[in-house]
Amino acid sequence: MPVTPSPIHGAADIIDFIGQRFESAPAHARIASLVPSLTETLVDLGLDAQLVARTGFCIHPAAAVRAIPKVGGTKDVNFARLRDLAPTHVLVNVDENTRETVAQLQEFVPHVVVTHPQQPADNLALFDLLGALFSATAGVQERAQGLHDEFGNTLRAIRARSWPLRRVLYVIWREPWMTVARDTYIARTLAQVGWRTLPDVAGGDGLRCAGATRYPVFDWDAPWLHDVDLVLLASEPFRFGAAHVEVTRALLETRGLKAAVRLIDGEWASWYGSRALRSLPRLAQCAAALLRP
């Protein structure tokens, strides 16, 4: 997704996912976030007054983001509108934004920061990155350390529990039907509660492979579906609902497949940053509830 990094010589040790080095941003930095998870995290760090732009998918926290101008979507950015808002820093993500978007941003934005959490533990480094990058704003570094410590404790508590293995199909889209590769953030989040995704495929780090590899299309006649014991229909990016549960059950039954089908809040598995502090315990509660007879 991102273009070749251009390190800042002599910059402090603040390094993004692709190795770009940054100096600590001034307290008057103008920040644009093109990633919903990052927008919410920036607000939780106390940076909402410096957020000058967001996407239409940046919906949390509702009260705070309402006042922040929208600049299109994650993959169809309104560059003219964003240029008028004159951000000094734009935050992007490998999965959410395209290589072409980053290249266009670098034409007029001084600092384009690339992120890519690939597993829950990567949130710790994300909090550290944002805390250091915006440390000139009072209280940000302290809040980032608080998020780091709290999430570390949450993750350790969940990993300390014994989770029986369940083989799951996590569905993110229909027509075509799409799922997730096992090395995505979503799959690795589900693995924290013993849910191992199928099919057993890797999608790569997202830098040298297409999104279709990380989020593959499947059909209901695939032989590996016989090994699935739980189908999870996510609420995003496609908004699966009760009617889709019945459709999915019918697809399974006509093929003699016995997997259970459940709806799941997509934010529990796919949102990172500060949202993970709230969503990972909810995912654990859901997994525990499904274990009860």
Side-chain angles (χ1 to χ4, degrees):
M1 185 278 305
V3 298
T4 303
S6 52
I8 302 172
H9 297 291
D13 226 16
I14 303 171
I15 306 171
D16 73 357
F17 178 73
I18 59 169
Q20 296 182 116
R21 294 180 179 270
F22 299 89
E23 295 176 339
S24 179
H28 60 269
R30 296 173 60 81
I31 309 167
S33 172
L34 303 183
V35 186
S37 295
L38 297 181
T39 300
E40 180 176 34
T41 303
L42 292 169
V43 172
D44 286 340
L45 289 174
L47 290 161
D48 43 310
Q50 292 173 238
L51 274 165
V52 300
R54 64 175 172 103
T55 74
F57 299 107
C58 299
I59 58 174
H60 296 307
V65 301
R66 196 173 295 124
I68 302 170
K70 299 178 188 177
V71 289
T74 55
K75 293 178 173 60
D76 56 347
V77 178
N78 184 331
F79 293 103
R81 173 66 168 147
L82 184 58
R83 187 189 294 268
D84 288 343
L85 293 167
T88 59
H89 294 72
V90 175
L91 272 62
V92 298
N93 174 267
V94 169
D95 272 336
E96 302 265 5
N97 313 112
T98 67
R99 184 187 299 270
E100 293 73 23
T101 292
V102 173
Q104 287 188 256
L105 290 171
Q106 289 182 325
E107 294 177 2
F108 66 92
V109 179
H111 308 291
V112 180
V113 184
V114 180
T115 67
H116 190 33
Q118 298 177 79
Q119 59 184 333
D122 290 348
N123 285 301
L124 302 174
L126 177 65
F127 296 140
D128 293 345
L129 170 67
L130 297 178
L133 183 60
F134 299 112
S135 59
T137 300
V140 167
Q141 201 155 28
E142 293 76 12
R143 294 187 192 97
Q145 186 63 52
L147 292 175
H148 180 288
D149 294 345
E150 185 179 352
F151 187 74
N153 291 335
T154 297
L155 195 56
R156 281 190 291 273
I158 290 173
R159 287 177 171 177
R161 297 183 61 174
S162 178
W163 298 100
L165 174 66
R166 298 201 73 172
R167 294 162 298 185
V168 306
L169 168 63
Y170 187 92
V171 187
I172 61 172
W173 202 261
R174 68 188 295 265
E175 296 181 359
W177 294 90
M178 296 173 65
T179 183
V180 297
R182 193 170 282 180
D183 55 351
T184 56
Y185 182 88
I186 291 174
R188 286 168 169 161
T189 298
L190 297 174
Q192 303 304 307
V193 297
W195 289 353
R196 181 179 296 172
T197 57
L198 288 173
D200 183 5
V201 297
D205 62 10
L207 291 174
R208 291 167 290 275
C209 58
T213 306
R214 292 172 59 74
Y215 303 97
V217 171
F218 72 93
D219 68 70
W220 292 99
D221 293 314
W224 51 264
L225 279 166
H226 289 273
D227 296 325
V228 172
D229 53 45
L230 176 63
V231 177
L232 299 170
L233 303 180
S235 63
E236 61 173 49
F238 186 90
R239 188 172 292 279
F240 284 102
H244 300 108
V245 172
E246 297 308 314
V247 168
T248 303
R249 285 174 177 159
L251 288 168
L252 294 170
E253 288 172 6
T254 59
R255 291 162 174 80
L257 303 174
K258 305 297 184 182
V261 183
R262 298 285 187 275
L263 295 175
I264 187 170
D265 188 331
E267 293 181 4
W268 294 354
S270 63
W271 282 52
Y272 42 88
S274 57
R275 170 65 44 166
L277 280 168
R278 297 178 281 275
S279 61
L280 193 55
R282 290 173 182 168
L283 179 66
Q285 291 170 5
C286 177
L290 291 179
L291 293 176
R292 301 187 192 113

